């Protein structure tokens, strides 16, 4: 049966600037892929990330180069030879999962052999600002189960202290986005313990991970930028206790599921994260969330307007998209 693929650039404005250590976003630029076969359609979304050398134009060019093979019948297992791990492959992979489930009259969860998505506690992110503004933002969500605070090098100590004072009860993830040095990690280690930080995410640049070997951290460390696919796991064992799986890094749900299994087998705890994206990027990631100790899928909550039928936040608990949105017929 004839199959067609369409890829386009979509832009979603943000309701507030999203500031992290390496810059600020005011919009989410995504690649949306639609694969049609007969009367059925599968959709997927990827977020090209400049940190990894990705752009919208490059992602669309990658997909265009693979379109003939995909329209001729190439499936998810063929994508590794057609596309590199990253946002472009993520969008195509998830679109094919969606289409496959609809063609089979089942769900992606059933095809993958995992539990159906369910409401789950997901981090509410406090973006970088003045300590006073971050405290005010934290106070508004002090009742949620889990907060994630973005920090930089210059103001990290004051930022963490301000958020914890305003929100004393939630579990807390601190994310410097590669902006610290090993000396700063050592200097701020007692502060992290004092403020009951539950997880420290990628404090050092990915290329400087070797400095963590043998570091006896009293706060669990999580690899983010240092982990993309299963090939990266071997170099992380003596440096991190957790790994953050993002579909835009793995190149889709197919590799993400395999990575989760491999990480657990090596003794890593799991975090599931996302870029700033729409609910179309979150729906596949929710299939991994049930087995993760930390879930950070609040990307759509930053949008001025999400795709209709997407996820809903209820006081820090994320409800899955409406039936039929992705991964199953309505």
């Amino acid at each position: 049966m004839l199959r067609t693929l369409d890829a386009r650039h979509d832009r979603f404005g943000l309701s507030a600037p999203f500031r992290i250590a390496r810059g600020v976003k005011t919009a989410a630029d995504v690649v949306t892929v639609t694969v049609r076969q007969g009367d059925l359609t599968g959709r997927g979304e990827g977020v090209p990330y400049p940190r990894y050398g990705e752009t919208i134009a490059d992602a669309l060019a990658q997909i265009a180069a693979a379109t003939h093979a995909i329209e001729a019948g190439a499936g998810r297992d063929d994508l590794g030879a057609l596309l590199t791990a990253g946002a472009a492959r993520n969008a195509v992979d998830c679109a094919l999962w969606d289409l496959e489930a609809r063609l089979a009259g089942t769900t992606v969860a059933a095809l993958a052999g995992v539990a159906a998505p369910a409401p789950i506690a997901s981090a509410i992110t406090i973006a970088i600002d003045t300590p006073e503004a971050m405290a005010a933002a934290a106070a508004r969500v002090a009742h949620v189960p889990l907060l994630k605070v973005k920090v930089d090098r210059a103001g990290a100590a004051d930022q963490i202290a301000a958020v914890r004072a305003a929100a004393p009860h939630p579990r807390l993830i601190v994310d410097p986005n590669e902006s610290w040095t090993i000396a700063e990690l050592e200097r701020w280690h007692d502060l992290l313990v004092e403020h009951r930080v539950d997880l420290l995410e990628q404090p050092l640049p990915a290329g400087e991970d070797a400095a963590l070997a043998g570091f006896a951290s009293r706060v669990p460390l999580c690899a983010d930028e240092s982990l993309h696919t299963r090939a990266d796991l071997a170099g992380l064992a003596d440096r991190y206790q957790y790994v953050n799986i993002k579909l835009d890094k793995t190149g889709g749900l197919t590799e993400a599921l395999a990575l989760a299994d491999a990480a657990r087998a090596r003794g890593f705890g799991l975090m599931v994260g996302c870029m700033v994206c729409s609910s179309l990027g979150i729906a596949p990631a929710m299939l991994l969330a049930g087995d993760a100790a930390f879930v950070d899928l609040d990307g759509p909550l930053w949008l001025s307007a999400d795709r209709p039928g997407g996820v809903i936040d209820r006081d820090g608990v994320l409800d899955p998209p409406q039936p039929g949105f992705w991964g199953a017929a309505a």
Side-chain angles (χ1 to χ4, degrees), residues 103-127:
L103 288 169
T106 185
T107 66
V108 171
L111 290 175
V114 298
I120 195 162
S122 176
I124 300 297
T125 301
I126 308 298

Side-chain angles (χ1 to χ4, degrees), residues 14-164:
L14 305 191
S15 57
F18 184 79
R19 294 185 179 90
I20 66 172
R22 67 172 63 96
V24 59
K25 291 173 68 77
T26 58
D29 289 288
V30 310
V31 169
T32 305
V33 168
T34 303
V35 183
R36 295 180 176 87
Q37 188 167 321
D39 296 330
L40 299 175
T41 298
R43 299 185 301 158
E45 177 182 292
V47 184
Y49 202 46
R51 166 65 179 82
Y52 306 131
E54 297 178 316
T55 67
I56 291 288
D58 289 342
L60 290 173
Q62 282 190 55
I63 295 169
T67 292
H68 177 74
I70 296 163
E71 290 183 337
R76 292 181 292 101
D77 292 339
D78 302 308
L79 293 183
L82 297 171
L83 296 161
T84 58
R89 196 172 83 190
N90 179 30
V92 176
D93 181 78
C94 290
L96 290 175
W97 271 108
D98 190 20
L99 178 63
E100 186 178 339
R102 295 175 193 276
L103 288 169
T106 185
T107 66
V108 171
L111 290 175
V114 298
I120 195 162
S122 176
I124 300 297
T125 301
I126 308 298
I128 290 175
D129 208 321
T130 65
E132 294 78 14
M134 293 175 72
R140 290 191 291 271
V141 291
H143 59 290
V144 305
L146 177 63
L147 288 179
K148 178 171 175 175
V149 54
K150 296 284 191 176
V151 300
D152 53 25
R153 171 180 283 179
D158 290 339
Q159 292 161 347
I160 295 167
V163 168
R164 180 48 95 193

Side-chain angles (χ1 to χ4, degrees), residues 21-325:
R22 67 172 63 96
V24 59
K25 291 173 68 77
T26 58
D29 289 288
V30 310
V31 169
T32 305
V33 168
T34 303
V35 183
R36 295 180 176 87
Q37 188 167 321
D39 296 330
L40 299 175
T41 298
R43 299 185 301 158
E45 177 182 292
V47 184
Y49 202 46
R51 166 65 179 82
Y52 306 131
E54 297 178 316
T55 67
I56 291 288
D58 289 342
L60 290 173
Q62 282 190 55
I63 295 169
T67 292
H68 177 74
I70 296 163
E71 290 183 337
R76 292 181 292 101
D77 292 339
D78 302 308
L79 293 183
L82 297 171
L83 296 161
T84 58
R89 196 172 83 190
N90 179 30
V92 176
D93 181 78
C94 290
L96 290 175
W97 271 108
D98 190 20
L99 178 63
E100 186 178 339
R102 295 175 193 276
L103 288 169
T106 185
T107 66
V108 171
L111 290 175
V114 298
I120 195 162
S122 176
I124 300 297
T125 301
I126 308 298
I128 290 175
D129 208 321
T130 65
E132 294 78 14
M134 293 175 72
R140 290 191 291 271
V141 291
H143 59 290
V144 305
L146 177 63
L147 288 179
K148 178 171 175 175
V149 54
K150 296 284 191 176
V151 300
D152 53 25
R153 171 180 283 179
D158 290 339
Q159 292 161 347
I160 295 167
V163 168
R164 180 48 95 193
H169 301 300
R171 292 194 301 161
L172 189 63
I173 303 169
V174 168
D175 185 7
N177 282 110
E178 304 182 278
S179 65
W180 292 3
T181 65
I182 187 65
E184 287 161 340
L185 174 56
E186 291 169 346
R187 183 165 70 248
W188 291 328
H189 195 228
D190 287 344
L191 177 139
L192 298 173
V193 174
E194 175 189 351
H195 292 299
R196 294 176 287 112
V197 173
D198 294 270
L199 193 70
L200 180 64
E201 188 179 348
Q202 195 72 44
L204 310 187
E208 299 176 15
D209 275 343
L212 295 173
F215 178 72
S217 180
R218 288 175 286 156
V219 174
L221 303 180
C222 180
D224 180 5
E225 286 86 352
S226 293
L227 175 82
H228 290 249
T229 67
R230 284 169 288 175
D232 300 315
L233 284 172
L236 304 178
D238 62 343
R239 304 169 187 184
Y240 295 97
Q241 294 76 53
Y242 286 80
V243 292
N244 187 358
I245 299 175
K246 294 178 180 175
L247 272 62
D248 279 311
K249 294 186 301 177
T250 66
L253 179 61
T254 302
E255 172 62 20
L257 290 166
L259 172 58
D261 287 342
R264 282 192 293 264
R266 287 180 176 267
F268 289 103
L270 300 185
M271 176 178 178
V272 176
C274 67
M275 308 302 185
V276 181
C277 62
S278 84
S279 285
L280 186 55
I282 297 302
M286 289 196 77
L287 295 176
L288 299 165
D291 290 330
F294 297 90
V295 176
D296 176 26
L297 298 177
D298 69 340
L301 306 187
W302 286 87
L303 305 185
S304 298
D306 192 8
R307 298 183 196 264
V311 298
I312 296 174
D313 171 66
R314 301 184 190 279
D315 295 324
V317 174
L318 199 67
D319 284 351
Q322 294 178 6
F325 178 85

